[in-house]
Amino acid sequence: MTRKRTLLSAEKVAVRFGGLTAIDDLSFHVHEGEVVSLIGPNGAGKTTAFNVVSGFLAPAEGTVRFAGEPLTGLKPHQIANLGLVRTFQRTSLFNGATVFESVLRALHRKGSANAWSVLLGLPSVAAEELMLRTEAEKLLQFVGLLDGRERHAGSLSYGEQRLLGLAMAMAADPKMLLLDEPVSGMNATETSRFMAMLETIRKRGVTILLVEHDMRMVMEVSDRVLVLYQGHIIANGVPAEIRQNPEVISAYLGHGKYHAGN
């Protein structure tokens, strides 16, 4: 069996806020093509870990690598340009734009027209614009928001905002997606549909790391589950192993709160 290459790795990462250690000696990896979930109780440090990986927060110690390249010192947009793209727990949308305009703006990385081409009205500009608009429609169709394309992004329900955030992330043509509580605000039917979307995204060759509070979803979609507790990884295994792990049951699942807040 061919061993899959490591796409994302964190090695001995530490994050401190003043005298408080949020993450200490955090090490994990995600193989190409995997779906890996990061879970843990409130205050475990999950969103902090996401912020370090995506460049929104610099670690005090340790190294994060993507496709073998260190991410230290890179800005979030530079990391996104490498193919590592994240969504956010609090959806950041273009509230003044429509749903369609939001996705079209997110597709800018695929555009190549420069200012002179636009001003001169070159045929290539019109062709590119048509290509981007077609791609935006395909993404909205995929997440189920095409019928609401003319609605203002800020008017969407919280669950719909999560779907729009996914469409905008996919517009960046990612190699890997970091999903921060992607089904928050969704009902059971919407969550099941989202799970099916994740499988489709994986089949397109996109690797996925997610933080999520819905344990049914986590256990069904994940190849592996990482459990973070008080800034440390206390378990790393397939869902069946995590369910039976005594330390995980004591620290998290045994509380009866199937919730992975931050």
Side-chain angles (χ1 to χ4, degrees):
M1 181 177 177
T2 303
R3 184 178 179 181
K4 293 183 178 180
R5 73 163 179 157
T6 297
L7 188 59
L8 176 71
S9 65
E11 303 167 8
K12 298 184 179 299
V13 170
V15 177
R16 301 184 184 93
F17 300 107
L20 175 66
T21 299
I23 291 177
D24 187 30
D25 196 26
L26 177 68
S27 297
F28 69 89
H29 64 274
V30 180
H31 290 138
E32 199 169 41
E34 275 192 306
V35 175
V36 176
S37 292
L38 181 63
I39 69 171
N42 290 342
K46 301 179 302 300
T47 294
T48 299
F50 258 37
N51 286 339
V52 170
V53 170
S54 55
F56 286 85
L57 188 64
E61 299 173 13
T63 305
V64 178
R65 296 179 183 275
F66 181 66
E69 298 296 323
L71 301 183
T72 306
L74 296 184
K75 297 182 182 302
H77 74 273
Q78 294 173 315
I79 293 174
N81 286 340
L82 294 175
L84 181 59
V85 180
R86 72 170 290 179
T87 62
F88 292 85
Q89 187 183 55
R90 293 180 175 83
T91 307
S92 300
L93 301 171
F94 300 113
N95 286 342
T98 67
V99 168
F100 183 75
E101 289 168 343
S102 297
V103 177
L104 194 60
R105 291 178 187 180
L107 282 163
H108 72 91
R109 288 184 63 240
K110 293 186 177 180
S112 59
N114 58 38
W116 280 110
S117 298
V118 174
L119 288 172
L120 293 172
L122 298 182
S124 60
V125 175
E128 181 175 287
E129 177 68 13
L130 178 60
M131 181 272 291
L132 293 176
R133 295 180 73 87
T134 300
E135 181 65 19
E137 289 179 351
K138 288 180 180 178
L139 287 168
L140 289 174
Q141 180 71 47
F142 176 65
V143 301
L145 293 177
L146 184 59
D147 288 346
R149 55 181 287 169
E150 297 305 323
R151 294 173 60 190
H152 283 283
S155 72
L156 299 178
S157 70
Y158 193 70
E160 289 172 330
Q161 287 184 13
R162 311 302 286 164
L163 293 172
L164 179 55
L166 176 64
M168 292 167 66
M170 289 299 293
D173 197 20
K175 297 175 183 175
M176 182 171 184
L177 273 177
L178 306 180
L179 304 177
D180 197 352
E181 298 200 16
V183 299
S184 178
M186 295 186 189
N187 60 35
T189 300
E190 292 167 335
T191 296
S192 294
R193 191 163 65 87
F194 189 90
M195 290 163 61
M197 285 183 210
L198 284 190
E199 183 58 27
T200 300
I201 291 170
R202 187 229 284 263
K203 287 179 179 178
R204 293 178 180 178
V206 180
T207 303
I208 298 167
L209 175 65
L210 63 95
V211 164
E212 184 48 58
H213 70 275
D214 188 317
M215 288 299 102
R216 180 182 71 88
M217 173 185 167
V218 165
M219 296 302 175
E220 288 190 28
V221 305
S222 305
D223 296 307
R224 285 188 298 120
V225 179
L226 307 173
V227 185
L228 192 62
Y229 182 66
Q230 295 183 347
H232 300 268
I233 296 288
I234 62 170
N236 175 0
V238 299
E241 293 172 338
I242 296 301
R243 286 193 190 99
Q244 302 301 321
N245 185 298
E247 192 172 4
V248 175
I249 293 171
S250 174
Y252 181 39
L253 298 181
H255 293 170
K257 296 180 180 178
Y258 285 77
H259 188 283
N262 296 284

